[in-house]
Amino acid sequence: MFQDKRHRVISCHDTWISIDPVVGCPYSCSYCVLRHSDLTGIRAKQTLTPQECVDQLLAHPLFVHGLSRLAIGNETDMLHASNVEYLLELLQMLKAAGVDNNIALITKAPLSDRIIGAIQEIQGLRI
């Protein structure tokens, strides 16, 4: 597991909580905000296990069950093929923890029926 003391996995933005347990993106989009921190065109790295990530979210002082909006993967593309299994495990852990908040997943990766189906099978999440 990659560890960077400066990287915050859970951070608050204006209207949402960002969950970023994976950093870096293999895409090299010229418009991406990650290019300023040299996080584009590289292999994504996991900073925490999915369970550690959920634990940090639940302990965060600004997280409110059912109310806080969540965005997963602002520092990568969580639906990129190299991140999908991690994302599915994280979503399962969020469900197991009773998290029923709105969850945003932003991607430009092609979505297969397998990936969409796997996400839809996780009942109780609002994605």
Side-chain angles (χ1 to χ4, degrees), residues 40-59:
T40 61
I42 64 169
R43 184 170 186 240
K45 297 175 186 156
Q46 298 175 7
T47 61
L48 297 175
T49 67
Q51 185 60 57
E52 291 169 330
C53 179
V54 171
D55 292 344
Q56 280 196 19
L57 174 67
L58 297 176

Side-chain angles (χ1 to χ4, degrees), residues 1-112:
M1 214 50 57
F2 163 75
Q3 293 287 330
D4 182 346
K5 303 286 185 203
R6 297 168 294 151
H7 175 72
R8 287 181 298 155
V9 173
I10 309 298
S11 58
C12 290
H13 295 255
D14 292 338
T15 59
W16 72 92
I17 293 177
S18 182
I19 303 172
D20 297 301
V22 179
V23 296
C25 186
Y27 301 125
S28 292
C29 303
S30 61
Y31 55 83
C32 184
V33 297
L34 297 179
R35 75 184 184 286
H36 300 296
S37 55
D38 295 324
L39 291 175
T40 61
I42 64 169
R43 184 170 186 240
K45 297 175 186 156
Q46 298 175 7
T47 61
L48 297 175
T49 67
Q51 185 60 57
E52 291 169 330
C53 179
V54 171
D55 292 344
Q56 280 196 19
L57 174 67
L58 297 176
H60 196 280
L62 298 177
F63 172 73
V64 179
H65 269 278
L67 185 62
S68 302
R69 293 178 189 102
L70 308 175
I72 301 175
N74 286 296
E75 295 188 18
T76 192
D77 188 329
M78 289 303 292
L79 288 157
H80 184 275
S82 64
N83 295 331
V84 168
E85 294 307 317
Y86 183 97
L87 173 64
L88 293 174
E89 187 176 345
L90 177 59
L91 292 174
Q92 286 285 2
M93 300 269 177
L94 288 168
K95 176 190 171 189
V99 174
D100 62 351
N101 302 56
N102 287 326
I103 299 173
L105 300 174
I106 301 166
T107 188
K108 60 186 209 171
L111 298 177
S112 69

